[in-house]
Amino acid sequence: MGSPLDSTFGLWLVSIWLQTLLQGCGLLQAWLYFHWYSKDHWAIRAMVASLVVVETFQIIVYFQVTYLYFIDDFGSVPGLFIIHWQDSIQLFAMYLSAFIVQMYFAYCIYAFLEKKKKLIPIIIVVLALTGIGSGLAQTLITIRMQSFEQLDSTKAITTLQAACALVCDITITSSLVCNLGKHKGRVKSTDSMLHTLMVHAINRGMLTAICAALNMILFLALPGTFYFFIGLTLSSKLYMNSALATLNSRQHVVKKAHMSDPDWTQNAIPMETLSIGRSTNVNEDGRLQIIVNNETRTDSDYKRQMFTEGML
């Protein structure tokens, strides 16, 4: 016969074990990132550092409150139902990590779209802001609660947060896949690189979207249990790992493209995309006329390019 705690703190322990595994993967990826890409734009390095700090803080608080439930309050069954401030704080840390990664991918899409097509990044930003806003509201509500038995009263705000995360992930994934697919052409190495990036985008979005869907469905379908923890607690670790995997896989993507086309080199530039600031005309009398156009780049343009080149 199973324990009556199987559906609550049994899931709690399973989720903390899975979170620990993903936290270890994230820390390893963070170390590899700073080792391989130490010359990335400072904003990207700051984003990675903030993710590591927030996720490390979250797992520390998660372990601390677990110790409180099972060691400090050992044998106190009523104590297992009490919501401590650590529960609410680590909940918001997870939402904050998701927000950071969603904004990162929103800027990726913004940087690669044409100037007149900025609706998708705006939608992603609105969804991300709505998600972090509802997450903050949920955090404040749970701080005021006394027991896990009152979690059902947060159905509306929890559903809103999970739905925003789900729609945001689907929007990010579909936008990346569509825009990368549009740039495919006749260059084999470029097509290979774009195909790999599209596969990575689908894998990343699928994992985080599944977690958001599980969080919402299990919270509504199985009230009074912690089954929704599987989707909720793993989502932030997957966000961290997906962002770091995207950054760390850049060298692999380039090497894979190089292997698919032996005639291609890293410094090769497709001629159809090369813009030259000089043109030649032949006059009626047969003389050759050379027209030179000067292109001026500002410091802000250079900084934007450096930031963009480090994203994907």
Side-chain angles (χ1 to χ4, degrees), residues 106-125:
Y107 191 87
C108 287
I109 296 170
Y110 170 82
F112 291 113
L113 284 176
E114 298 177 5
K115 292 183 178 181
K116 296 181 180 180
K117 298 180 180 180
K118 302 300 183 183
L119 179 60
I120 297 298
I122 292 175
I123 293 175
I124 295 172
V125 170

Side-chain angles (χ1 to χ4, degrees), residues 197-265:
L197 290 174
M198 290 167 66
V199 172
H200 289 178
I202 293 172
N203 291 338
R204 182 213 68 82
M206 180 176 65
L207 289 173
T208 53
I210 288 175
C211 281
L214 284 175
N215 177 28
M216 180 171 58
I217 294 172
L218 294 178
F219 185 82
L220 296 175
L222 300 172
T225 67
F226 289 170
Y227 283 104
F228 69 94
F229 266 41
I230 299 299
L232 174 64
T233 58
L234 297 187
S235 60
S236 64
K237 303 301 180 190
L238 290 175
Y239 274 115
M240 176 179 67
N241 278 278
S242 65
L244 290 172
T246 300
L247 293 169
N248 288 339
S249 64
R250 286 173 288 172
Q251 290 182 355
H252 169 72
V253 171
V254 172
K255 289 180 181 178
K256 185 177 180 181
H258 175 66
M259 293 174 63
S260 67
D261 188 356
D263 297 328
W264 179 83
T265 62

Side-chain angles (χ1 to χ4, degrees), residues 21 27 32 79 90 120 133 140 179 190 193-194 204 221 252 256 276 289:
L21 294 178
L27 292 177
L32 292 174
Q90 63 106 6
I120 297 298
L140 296 175
N179 284 285
T190 302
M193 201 163 15
L194 291 173
R204 182 213 68 82
H252 169 72
K256 185 177 180 181
I276 302 176
Q289 181 182 17

